[in-house]
Amino acid sequence: QYIALSHCWGSNRSFQPPRTTKKTMTEPNVDFNSLTKAFQDTMTLARRLSIPYVWIDSLCIIQDDKDN
């Protein structure tokens, strides 16, 4: 059981949402406070609904992996 957040990255190159890369894959956890408000709200809603998993494409897909 999971929910998914679909979001627009937008055309603003100065702002990029948190994302998973090959380098960040070695980091054990994502700091909740470093996430955007949309990501935080999605995770908070999932907890309130007792949904254990959240799929956010920029976090769940390794963004600089050409094989994916």
Side-chain angles (χ1 to χ4, degrees):
Q1 190 176 24
Y2 70 95
I3 59 173
L5 172 65
S6 177
H7 61 98
C8 178
W9 291 40
S11 60
N12 183 350
R13 298 289 179 205
S14 65
F15 170 76
Q16 290 292 310
R19 60 185 184 207
T20 299
T21 62
K22 290 179 184 178
K23 179 182 176 189
T24 62
M25 279 295 296
T26 60
E27 297 172 10
N29 295 303
V30 175
D31 178 24
F32 182 83
N33 294 319
S34 72
L35 299 175
T36 64
K37 181 153 176 31
F39 289 13
Q40 290 178 356
D41 289 348
T42 301
M43 292 181 177
T44 299
L45 178 63
R47 287 183 190 134
R48 288 183 183 164
L49 296 174
S50 298
I51 298 173
Y53 302 105
V54 176
W55 173 276
I56 300 174
D57 57 359
S58 61
L59 295 178
C60 295
I61 299 171
I62 304 170
Q63 298 301 310
D64 60 350
D65 187 350
K66 302 297 181 205
D67 293 332
N68 289 322

